[in-house]
Amino acid sequence: MAEVALLWHLHQPSYVDAASGEVVMSWVRLHTVRGYADMAEMARRHPKVKLNFNLTPVLVQQIEELAEGRVKDRWGELGQKSAANLTVEDQQQLLEHYFKINWTTCVEPYPRYRQLLDLRGRGAGAGQSEQSRKRFREKDFRDLQVWFNLSWCGFAVRKRYPELGAMMQKGRDFTEEEKGRVMEIHQEMLRGILGEYRALAESGQVELTTTPFYHPILPLLVDTDSAKRAMPWVRLPERLQAPEDALVQLEKAQAAHQRVFGQKARGLWPSEGSVSPEVIPLMAQAGFEYFCTDEMVLFRGLEAQGWKGKHSELFQAWRVEEGGSAMKVLFRERPLSDYIGFTASRTEPKVAAEHLRVHLEHIAQVMPSDGVVLLALDGENAWEAFPDSGEAFLDEFYTRLRQTKGLKSTTLGGYLGTRAGRPVGRLHSGSWIGGNFDIWIGDPEENQGWCWIKRTRDFLTQAKEGGQVTKEVLAAAWEDLYAAQGSDWFWWYGPDFQTDSDTIFDALFRGRLQNVYRRLGVTPPAGLSVPICATGTQLGTPPVREIEPKLSGTGSYLEWSGAGKYEAWRDQGAMAQGDRRVRMVRYGVGESDFHFRLDGKEPLGEEVILDFHQPSPVRIRIGGEKDGKVSLEKSKDGVVYEAEDCSAEVAGGGGLGLRIPFSSLGWRGDGVEVSFLVR
């Protein structure tokens, strides 16, 4: 008899914009009406199949916030707005975001949705095309609003609300009332989904586990240098060691789990299956009894100790001891887990389910007596690739698992509760991907992100020690920092993975760190306004030659020929252009001076700040048109600035001109990269 533990991981990072409190992408709501509802429904259909679900606290938190209306859902509000009242920007946003769904399974089968996609265009950039927007009429936008939110609904929601099926049959020319009803159903599902999982857990059929609160890579949070154990060649950022933050992430997860589901979690799926010896005492201190990770972590650790055993030794309970703490652990069987997540959707459901049954039976014949097979994988994203959200496959798989005599489904605690576990020895430091941390650290973008976390954390620690900030403000600032420590931002940095939302993830990450400074009444470092993500988008045109223009607020075209140029008005919509005072920024260098010119359509009348990020933090303040004074401040950390003497010259009149010597800026040598913001 082989016991089989199925662990479905449900997770979404925080999509809340730190400054506005608005949810900028609706993946939590959309996966609720598909994957989360479908998985709960399938569990109820098969009450004799034991299951395990890992719900991350940051996901649970967002479900609660959306259900209670504590945050605004940007895409949701866009979908509810009357089609007759959509602005040009609204229409552009709909065309950009309302086709973000699997086209093969969720668009192509529905003639009207497919027609709308063809009307917009399928090529890169079609969502931003003005020509595409003009092809859409009011009823086209209304149908698009309905179809996106309708097509995201999985089999469980369609079964519960037959009216959705009627709308799909109707197909087109939807009313505002029908559109509103789809969104009401989404909201009803958000309000009830956590209760469904709690009820499943209370029935004894399901065990709920958790993950460190904001889904950080715990080993890197404890010590970024731990990445070198599996990747000795890697170039790492300045070392960060924050084991206390790792413990907070674990304790917050445990507290949230108990509040929402009525009891503490016994088991943990560490974010991305990432573990190291140092995190074991922290997990134990937070009250966890066992955890799960990938088979490669086991085998690399055993091989480092000279092990030359059989792969079948994987299928049993293990025990890790470190720093006076002990925890039990199961290591997932990778090929079958990955088969479900990446291949089963391309196979006929009965064939895919039979493939799993046959292989599980084979494992049962070679595994240690009283063994277990852990299949652990993403429990939401895979189902988009199935034509029926995975309904037929899951139904067939669960049925075979229940009916096969040599197989028995189990919860993690049900199996581990009576086993002592075989000693692992020294635990390998790695994750479920490659047995290392390459996805989250080592590339320039990833390292820059870690540098900003360390820099912001150092600032916050100093503020705490200074004792000048209230506990409430400090707590809110630390919460922003904890959110920035999540793994998902680093997933999209570097060359490993790309998405059409890379820049949104980048902005969310930097926004959390900027908010730490703002909460404490400090202007965020200029560098945090510079995208980390290499999008290939160039802001304006860089300088091509040295310039020596005469100092004035206007200047001549020839004098500024070859200067860097940014035409601000081109980056604004028609309404914003009408209220834009800054039209163009020009800048460049001469033999010994930095030159800057700001052109406005009328006298600016405000303070202008040049915030240099590279080669070193320097801030230049230029007073309004009445005083025209210039002050210069320098900083070692980009946060605390001190005034210094400045020999800059400034001129006004229809714009603003500035000339400042390199010596005042502290620039030395050729080839220095310069980066600055204009505030």
Side-chain angles (χ1 to χ4, degrees), residues 243-255:
E244 54 270 51
D245 290 11
L247 180 59
V248 168
Q249 296 268 10
L250 288 163
E251 291 177 335
K252 282 174 60 67
Q254 191 66 278

Side-chain angles (χ1 to χ4, degrees), residues 322-543:
E322 189 69 36
S325 299
M327 293 190 70
K328 298 175 185 178
V329 54
L330 290 181
F331 298 92
R332 77 169 192 142
E333 200 278 348
R334 171 178 288 191
L336 292 183
S337 298
D338 287 353
Y339 174 81
I340 297 173
F342 305 119
T343 306
S345 63
R346 301 193 297 270
T347 309
E348 198 276 328
K350 290 184 178 180
V351 174
E354 183 64 10
H355 173 87
L356 291 170
R357 187 194 67 80
V358 169
H359 281 273
L360 287 171
E361 279 195 318
H362 172 71
I363 291 172
Q365 295 170 5
V366 299
M367 70 185 342
S369 60
D370 198 30
V372 65
V373 184
L374 172 65
L375 302 183
L377 65 148
D378 186 319
E380 55 190 285
N381 291 306
W383 313 125
E384 287 181 63
F386 287 79
D388 60 351
S389 297
E391 181 178 17
F393 163 72
L394 286 170
D395 204 28
E396 291 286 346
F397 178 40
Y398 285 1
T399 298
R400 281 167 169 74
L401 188 57
R402 176 175 55 83
Q403 293 179 346
T404 302
K405 291 183 179 180
L407 302 177
K408 176 186 176 184
S409 60
T410 183
T411 59
L412 299 175
Y415 177 80
L416 289 171
T418 58
R419 275 84 174 177
R422 173 179 165 181
V424 171
R426 181 71 170 176
L427 186 67
H428 174 71
S429 299
S431 73
W432 76 273
I433 303 180
N436 56 44
F437 305 125
D438 178 61
I439 298 298
W440 305 277
I441 198 168
D443 290 306
E445 291 180 8
E446 297 159 357
N447 288 349
Q448 188 176 351
W450 283 106
C451 285
W452 277 120
I453 285 179
K454 183 182 188 307
R455 184 171 170 181
T456 304
R457 189 182 188 281
D458 289 346
F459 161 75
L460 190 52
T461 301
Q462 291 173 5
K464 178 181 178 181
E465 293 171 351
Q468 302 299 312
V469 185
T470 66
K471 291 182 179 179
E472 293 76 14
V473 170
L474 273 176
W478 277 105
E479 200 69 24
D480 282 319
L481 180 64
Y482 296 144
Q485 293 170 349
S487 70
D488 300 85
W489 326 119
F490 297 91
W491 180 276
W492 300 113
Y493 285 144
D496 305 294
F497 301 103
Q498 283 81 41
T499 173
D500 55 5
S501 300
D502 278 3
T503 56
I504 299 178
F505 281 106
D506 182 20
L508 286 170
F509 169 72
R510 290 182 291 106
R512 284 289 189 174
L513 296 177
Q514 288 172 320
N515 219 39
V516 172
Y517 295 92
R518 293 193 185 104
R519 288 188 188 279
L520 273 63
V522 175
T523 300
L528 278 175
S529 295
V530 179
I532 296 173
C533 188
T535 62
T537 301
Q538 182 172 289
L539 193 63
T541 56

Side-chain angles (χ1 to χ4, degrees), residues 8-13 15 26-28 30-32 34-36 38-39 59 100-102 105-106 152 215 272 340-343 345 377-387 389-390 394 432 488 491-492 499 505:
W8 302 106
H9 176 58
L10 310 182
H11 166 64
Q12 291 293 325
Y15 296 111
S26 297
W27 301 125
V28 170
L30 297 172
H31 282 288
T32 294
R34 197 177 188 87
Y36 308 156
D38 288 348
M39 296 300 279
L59 166 65
K100 288 183 175 178
I101 193 170
N102 188 298
T105 60
C106 302
W152 262 102
H215 207 263
E272 307 293 356
I340 297 173
F342 305 119
T343 306
S345 63
L377 65 148
D378 186 319
E380 55 190 285
N381 291 306
W383 313 125
E384 287 181 63
F386 287 79
S389 297
L394 286 170
W432 76 273
D488 300 85
W491 180 276
W492 300 113
T499 173
F505 281 106

Side-chain angles (χ1 to χ4, degrees), residues 138-180:
E138 178 183 319
K139 66 177 183 179
D140 297 325
F141 281 113
R142 185 181 297 109
D143 283 357
L144 176 58
Q145 288 172 303
V146 172
W147 264 113
F148 176 70
N149 292 299
L150 183 60
S151 194
W152 262 102
C153 294
F155 59 81
V157 177
R158 295 181 194 180
K159 175 185 176 183
R160 188 175 304 183
Y161 299 95
E163 61 207 274
L164 295 177
M167 288 187 208
M168 300 185 90
Q169 287 294 320
K170 178 180 178 180
R172 61 185 308 127
D173 299 325
F174 297 113
T175 65
E176 289 291 331
E177 290 72 26
E178 288 171 320
K179 183 177 73 177

